Amino acid sequence: MSEQKAPSQNTVRAICALGLVKGLPPEVAAHVASLARVDVLPGGAGVFTQGAVAQRAYAVLVGAVRIRQIGSDGAQALMRMIAPGEMFGTVALFTEGHYPADAETAMPSHIASWSKADFMALTMNSPQIAINIIGMVGQRLANVQNRLREMATQSAEQRIAHALLMLVEQSGAMQAGACEICIPLRRRDVAELAGTTLYTASRQLAAWEKVGLLARSRQMLVVRDANKLRRIAQGGLL
């Protein structure tokens, strides 16, 4: 069960830092924040389910969310990890009206959301918000196109490297020259993001840990040398 709370000062600041309100006057950004509902959720909590009628737009303020899609054959695939500062569940409000995937918290999280009516009103009343939404959707589409290209042209090793680099970009925190991915990652998550088998992903991650490229810190994965990982992603040798 979620705990709902009115936006605190820190929450308002986090909402005002979202791409949704980029370029808005402070008073308009504050209005956007005032319309938000904030849910405090434990890890493993469902935010919405695939096929459900889209009623709200969401953003992660603290924590992380897994977006997982289930095919007609029952097979599941992790489509994306949503990190703090990123929105999700918005496209369905403008398209067929149903969420195309499940959304579940990957760790204890604070999730902001806006009702469909409020979100549509904000979009219609502010051209800048509409432009920001188009920019976010465009970036998401570019990411999907990149993943399709990687699946068609790159080895599993390269795809795993790309998946880790994407996570570093989303939620990496520098610590003593290394970069910790601040999202709890299961090997299954990495395998699905890279479009490979759990066996292949587990073997590759173990090999990189053995040579010191990666390390584990609590439940988090630490990339000790992002430059080497980029060379691998580009087809180079470790």
Side-chain angles (χ1 to χ4, degrees), residues 138-154:
Q139 184 59 56
R140 195 66 55 84
L141 178 59
N143 290 340
V144 170
Q145 290 174 328
N146 284 337
R147 285 188 67 185
L148 288 173
R149 176 183 53 77
E150 291 166 9
M151 292 288 290
T153 63
Q154 297 185 349

Side-chain angles (χ1 to χ4, degrees), residues 9 29-30 33-34 41 56 71 77 90-91 113 115 130 136 141 147 161-162 193 198 230-231:
Q9 231 177 8
S34 73
L41 300 171
R56 304 189 71 83
T90 57
V91 175
S113 67
S115 70
M136 289 186 291
L141 178 59
R147 285 188 67 185
H162 274 296
L193 284 172
L198 176 58
R230 289 189 189 95
R231 287 200 294 271

Side-chain angles (χ1 to χ4, degrees), residues 120-182:
M120 290 300 189
L122 289 170
T123 303
M124 289 187 289
N125 293 332
S126 172
Q128 184 60 55
I129 288 179
I131 290 170
N132 291 342
I133 292 171
I134 292 169
M136 289 186 291
V137 172
Q139 184 59 56
R140 195 66 55 84
L141 178 59
N143 290 340
V144 170
Q145 290 174 328
N146 284 337
R147 285 188 67 185
L148 288 173
R149 176 183 53 77
E150 291 166 9
M151 292 288 290
T153 63
Q154 297 185 349
S155 67
E157 181 185 36
Q158 288 176 278
R159 298 198 305 272
I160 293 168
H162 274 296
L164 295 180
L165 288 170
M166 178 182 67
L167 292 165
V168 165
E169 184 177 345
Q170 283 183 283
S171 66
M174 294 301 297
Q175 291 188 358
C179 190
E180 180 179 84
I181 297 172
C182 299

